[in-house]
Amino acid sequence: MNLDARTGGYKIEVGLDPATYNLMTLTLTDQLGDVTKIDFTDVHDNVELPESTFAFTAPPGADIVTAPASP
């Protein structure tokens, strides 16, 4: 395997279901040649999720950092 150092030496491969084009596998190879493979199963399309799924409350004592205003 020849990973290009200019791109950080990483290789990413995705596997798609040919019928639905859903993501089924994700394979990451780092610059040392170590491989991480993630398999996606029981995939559901267009599932409605409540807004509360995406709500975040900072835990007590956490530092809150805000981005500076755009120029």
Side-chain angles (χ1 to χ4, degrees), residues 17 20-25 39-47:
D17 180 314
T20 63
Y21 297 111
N22 283 339
L23 180 64
M24 300 306 292
T25 62
D39 293 318
F40 297 89
T41 59
D42 199 23
V43 176
H44 299 273
D45 292 328
N46 300 318
V47 175

Side-chain angles (χ1 to χ4, degrees), residues 26-53:
L26 181 65
T27 306
L28 309 167
T29 305
D30 68 18
Q31 56 195 5
L32 298 175
D34 294 324
V35 177
T36 301
K37 182 176 180 185
I38 302 168
D39 293 318
F40 297 89
T41 59
D42 199 23
V43 176
H44 299 273
D45 292 328
N46 300 318
V47 175
E48 289 194 33
L49 299 172
E51 289 291 322
S52 61
T53 301

